[in-house]
Amino acid sequence: MPPTTDVVNQKPESKAGGSLRAYLRSIAAIVWKDLAAEFRSRELIGAMLVFAALVILIFNFALELDIRTREAVTSGVLWVTFAFAGTLGLNRSMAIEKDRGCLDGLLLAPVDRTAIYFGKAIGNLFFMLIVEAIILPMYSVLYNVNLFQPGLIFVILLGSIGYTAVGTLLASMAVQARTRDMLLPILLFPVLIPLLLAAVKASNGFLMGFEMAEIMPWINLMIAYDVIFIAVAFMVFDFVVEE
Amino acid sequence: MERTPKALIVLTWLTSAVFVVALYLVLIWAPQEAIMGDVQRVFYFHVAAGWVGALAFLVTAIAGGIYLARGEQRWDRIAVASVEIGIIFTFINIVTGSIWARPIWNTWWTWDPRLVTATIMLLIYIAYIMLRQGIEDPDRRARFGAVYGIVGFISVPLTFLSIRIFRTIHPIVVGSSDPTAAGAFNMTADMRVAFFFSLFTFTLIYITLLWHRLRLQQLMEKIEERKLTALSS
């Protein structure tokens, strides 16, 4: 049986039309909880940032990022960095909930369980965007390229939304498995490939100054990906946290 | 010890006989392709294996959805049995494709949408198996398997679409044909017979294997139960 039934019985108004505000408030409460915990401990963003900086440094030596090769590979390097740093954050964000028993507390709260999903996903999106907001200027300074273009930032936003939408769902499954740290990237990356490919291509298009007609298919693909997977995660998240 | 159901024994023998006929049709009866020669005969089983792979993963996604809706154990059994068969046939599909590509494209591998999509699909379902292996609670294992089976299946067409936007050299024999693709050809009537018979044969093999695998799963569960009762008494 879907687990929502008992929640609905306790709080019948949560499904009524006027309760959208209550739903949004519970999402905001979970996001706020994650942000407040992070700003006190600074564990997650710190680790993600150091890791992202290391990945960029390793790329520097592995690819010899001189002037000519740099232009062609910048978008690829950026997205690989974001994807790797992102799994670190996703794993940690769900592991905290699992290890300290917080997830059980959240599940006991009389809110719709999809609100927990959206709360965690938006929290993860925030962390990802913060890391990206620091990595972008760092990369710009280190390699003397201007990454502050509205188009590129829009692509990064779209990509991060899709990444955290799928990542939060899969991370909440992975933390409940025996092999959890190994499992998340293996589950996540094959499903992410269309999004990452579109993100790399669209970013590259903006960096190289391609025409919009060439970039639009990739942007449309990313929007479709985001919408489809947010909808799927919304429908199946109940089954992932069910006890 | 339970006996194998009679219908399953008949089906197994029938499938074997049909497979022998398919081998005859593909290797001897179908005409030799004018340009590619005998290596073109890989095509029949190559496409049939790819079809079974896709069918198997579709069955997994649907069975997973029904499992989530109803919570009946047998749908989960179907889902996992189907994934295992799908992995094997997708692998056969990729390997036979490589064998064909070596003389025709002069390379074992290209970064063509269909090749890459098939490989990523294979990786998704290997991840599916690994996810299930990491979870002990059977109920949770079934739920997570169903969720990942659905998420993975939805991502496959998007993967294909995304890689499709690059130019492809894979021949499209069925449906709209691009004559410029290397290795493209038109099927004659005899080839078509062999082709559809191969599809039919492989679908039959899929059904037979699925049935055997489901039966195996039931027997394994029975052994588990008996072990538990023996230990507790």
Side-chain angles (χ1 to χ4, degrees):
Chain A
M1 275 318 278
T4 40
T5 45
D6 53 7
V7 178
V8 172
N9 288 339
Q10 285 162 16
K11 274 200 84 180
E13 72 272 26
S14 72
K15 287 283 176 190
S19 66
L20 182 67
R21 190 177 290 165
Y23 185 72
L24 291 178
R25 216 173 25 238
S26 35
I27 293 178
I30 294 166
V31 175
W32 180 245
K33 167 196 82 74
D34 273 7
L35 290 182
E38 178 56 29
F39 284 123
R40 280 173 204 157
S41 67
R42 292 191 197 81
E43 279 176 339
L44 208 149
I45 291 181
M48 281 168 84
L49 265 180
V50 173
F51 184 75
L54 284 170
V55 171
I56 288 181
L57 278 179
I58 290 170
F59 268 123
N60 179 47
F61 299 122
L63 299 179
E64 300 215 27
L65 293 175
D66 59 53
I67 289 283
R68 268 157 299 141
T69 50
R70 198 184 300 158
E71 277 194 339
V73 300
T74 292
S75 66
V77 169
L78 280 177
W79 278 104
V80 171
T81 309
F82 296 157
F84 284 180
T87 54
L88 212 63
L90 287 171
N91 247 332
R92 182 82 193 134
S93 134
M94 295 315 287
I96 293 173
E97 302 286 1
K98 190 70 190 161
D99 291 346
R100 300 182 194 161
C102 302
L103 193 61
D104 299 330
L106 276 179
L107 293 176
L108 286 173
V111 295
D112 198 302
R113 291 194 171 165
T114 54
I116 299 173
Y117 167 75
F118 283 119
K120 289 303 288 182
I122 292 170
N124 287 332
L125 179 62
F126 263 119
F127 298 144
M128 189 128 180
L129 291 177
I130 292 170
V131 169
E132 286 161 352
I134 301 173
I135 289 296
L136 279 186
M138 197 177 97
Y139 193 95
S140 301
V141 170
L142 282 177
Y143 296 109
N144 198 21
V145 280
N146 180 21
L147 295 178
F148 283 86
Q149 301 171 20
L152 180 67
I153 288 169
F154 179 64
V155 169
I156 289 178
L157 185 66
L158 275 184
S160 306
I161 289 173
Y163 185 94
T164 45
V166 181
T168 307
L169 177 71
L170 296 185
S172 34
M173 297 205 293
V175 288
Q176 299 182 54
R178 192 158 30 86
T179 46
R180 59 188 192 183
D181 291 338
M182 292 190 311
L183 203 53
L184 179 64
I186 293 173
L187 291 179
L188 183 58
F189 286 149
V191 178
L192 272 183
I193 281 175
L195 181 79
L196 285 181
L197 181 68
V200 168
K201 285 287 158 189
S203 311
N204 198 41
F206 280 114
L207 287 173
M208 306 286 265
F210 289 167
E211 283 173 36
M212 274 313 280
E214 267 182 76
I215 303 173
M216 273 324 280
W218 298 114
I219 297 210
N220 289 337
L221 185 68
M222 291 173 85
I223 293 172
Y225 186 97
D226 289 3
V227 171
I228 290 171
F229 279 99
I230 289 172
V232 170
F234 176 76
M235 287 188 281
V236 299
F237 187 72
D238 267 349
F239 300 106
V240 169
V241 291
E242 189 180 323
E243 285 299 323
Chain B
M1 175 68 200
E2 259 179 61
R3 292 195 169 274
T4 315
K6 200 153 254 166
L8 182 55
I9 298 175
V10 172
L11 182 67
T12 310
W13 283 105
L14 181 72
T15 309
S16 314
V18 167
F19 188 68
V20 172
V21 176
L23 275 178
Y24 168 75
L25 285 181
V26 164
L27 294 179
I28 297 160
W29 190 73
Q32 194 185 50
E33 212 272 328
I35 301 158
M36 288 185 273
D38 279 334
V39 74
Q40 178 268 337
R41 295 180 194 276
V42 164
F43 156 82
Y44 302 108
F45 284 179
H46 166 70
V47 176
W51 149 252
V52 168
L55 174 71
F57 297 142
L58 173 69
V59 167
T60 298
I62 293 173
I66 298 175
Y67 175 80
L68 289 183
R70 296 200 189 154
E72 292 164 356
Q73 205 64 43
R74 62 191 167 131
W75 293 106
D76 181 55
R77 268 187 229 128
I78 293 178
V80 71
S82 198
V83 161
E84 288 175 2
I85 301 169
I87 287 176
I88 297 298
F89 278 87
T90 308
F91 188 70
I92 293 173
N93 175 249
I94 293 171
V95 170
T96 51
S98 272
I99 292 170
W100 175 85
R102 179 67 189 138
I104 303 300
W105 291 342
N106 207 19
T107 172
W108 295 106
W109 184 260
T110 66
W111 294 99
D112 163 88
R114 293 182 184 206
L115 277 71
V116 181
T117 307
T119 311
I120 291 167
M121 193 163 79
L122 190 64
L123 289 173
I124 288 178
Y125 289 97
I126 291 172
Y128 174 98
I129 299 284
M130 293 172 90
L131 171 68
R132 292 186 70 106
Q133 281 172 347
I135 302 164
E136 271 107 25
D137 176 25
D139 180 48
R140 179 180 292 170
R141 183 167 57 217
R143 270 187 284 120
F144 285 14
V147 167
Y148 195 68
I150 293 169
V151 169
F153 191 75
I154 291 172
S155 83
V156 170
L158 287 170
T159 304
F160 181 73
L161 195 71
S162 69
I163 309 170
R164 186 73 187 255
I165 305 179
F166 296 119
R167 200 186 165 281
T168 170
I169 66 163
H170 191 291
I172 302 168
V173 178
V174 183
S176 64
S177 181
D178 174 15
T180 58
F185 63 96
N186 285 317
M187 277 192 283
T188 65
D190 286 355
M191 285 178 172
R192 218 163 273 144
V193 169
F195 172 67
F196 284 111
F197 198 80
S198 302
L199 283 188
F200 168 71
T201 308
F202 272 60
T203 312
L204 209 58
I205 294 175
Y206 167 71
I207 295 168
T208 312
L209 287 177
L210 189 69
W211 194 343
H212 276 291
R213 180 67 183 80
L214 287 175
R215 211 180 139 264
L216 186 67
Q217 185 73 26
Q218 279 168 338
L219 291 177
M220 270 156 49
E221 281 166 16
K222 249 182 211 144
I223 290 174
E224 279 298 310
E225 272 173 33
R226 288 196 186 169
K227 261 190 199 162
L228 285 177
T229 44
L231 284 173
S232 60
S233 61

